[in-house]
Amino acid sequence: MRILLCILGLLFLFPSCKTPEARKPVSIKSGSFIDESINRNKQLAAKEEARIQRIINQDTSNSYITSEGGFWYFYNTKDTVSTRTPRFGDIVNFNYNVQDLNGNTIYSKKELDTITYYIDKEELFLGLREGLKLMKAGETVTFLFPSYQAYGYYGDDNKIGTNIPLKTTVTLNTITKESTKEN
């Protein structure tokens, strides 16, 4: 009897020494939603950029510049003497308006008033944040932003809806250098 109990004990012991095996997932996700979303966004971006390109081609009175950030702009007033552009932490004072690509005013300069902004330290939509870094004090620039450079999918929860490309005219009034901290 003792031998039988020892044999049964050994039979139960050996399977418990087995290393744990990874379990297979119950359901397999293919990632197709993400792939579809990427394709939709690429198509939307291409459509918006083609529309902006048509506007640029029709506007023969201005010389547009393509930015590295994926938006277009031209100078209404250009400073050819100064070389100082805003850097991280600098304080800029500016006015701007917001229009759709058809020229309909969404926010006027009067409505938005004068803005004081710490470069890259406060919230501002991506395109305008990058556009300000290209400007010098006293310049006025008109920017054309595809929606992914503006308010994107979410809009501004007020007057700007989903995926709206924007046209803004910005006047950079002053640049104040970031104060250096002394110990």
Side-chain angles (χ1 to χ4, degrees):
M1 178 82 171
R2 223 175 211 212
I3 295 176
L4 185 62
L5 284 174
C6 286
I7 293 173
L8 282 174
L10 288 174
L11 286 175
F12 286 113
L13 258 175
F14 283 119
S16 66
C17 294
K18 185 178 172 184
T19 59
E21 291 181 24
R23 295 182 294 167
K24 299 200 180 194
V26 175
S27 64
I28 299 172
K29 304 235 180 215
S30 66
S32 64
F33 174 77
I34 293 172
D35 293 338
E36 289 171 12
S37 178
I38 289 169
N39 288 333
R40 270 193 314 272
N41 287 335
K42 284 181 179 179
Q43 289 172 355
L44 176 65
K47 182 179 170 185
E48 290 177 2
E49 289 171 8
R51 183 173 175 206
I52 290 171
Q53 203 58 50
R54 282 192 304 273
I55 291 169
I56 291 170
N57 292 340
Q58 291 172 355
D59 185 4
T60 57
S61 62
N62 294 303
S63 180
Y64 286 84
I65 301 167
T66 304
S67 75
E68 291 179 13
F71 56 87
W72 295 261
Y73 63 99
F74 67 87
Y75 288 92
N76 302 70
T77 307
K78 185 174 174 95
D79 180 354
T80 56
V81 178
S82 176
T83 58
R84 173 99 167 100
T85 57
R87 294 182 189 91
F88 178 82
D90 288 351
I91 303 165
V92 295
N93 178 285
F94 67 98
N95 299 87
Y96 74 113
N97 69 352
V98 178
Q99 299 176 326
D100 62 18
L101 292 184
N102 295 325
N104 301 316
T105 300
I106 299 171
Y107 293 109
S108 68
K109 281 187 180 186
K110 185 177 181 182
E111 193 175 357
L112 293 173
D113 204 15
T114 301
I115 308 288
T116 300
Y117 169 70
Y118 288 81
I119 296 290
D120 291 335
K121 289 187 174 184
E122 295 178 312
E123 288 298 315
L124 199 60
F125 72 86
L126 177 62
L128 185 54
R129 189 169 58 225
E130 295 304 312
L132 284 168
K133 293 178 196 174
L134 300 172
M135 297 177 69
K136 300 171 198 160
E139 290 184 332
T140 301
V141 177
T142 298
F143 296 97
L144 300 177
F145 299 115
S147 65
Y148 62 86
Q149 286 286 324
Y151 288 93
Y153 178 75
Y154 295 102
D156 74 341
D157 295 329
N158 194 7
K159 293 183 178 182
I160 300 172
T162 300
N163 297 324
I164 304 294
L166 299 175
K167 177 180 181 179
T168 65
T169 300
V170 181
T171 301
L172 183 56
N173 302 317
T174 60
I175 302 171
T176 306
K177 187 175 178 179
E178 179 182 28
S179 62
T180 55
K181 296 178 183 175
E182 297 179 22
N183 291 330

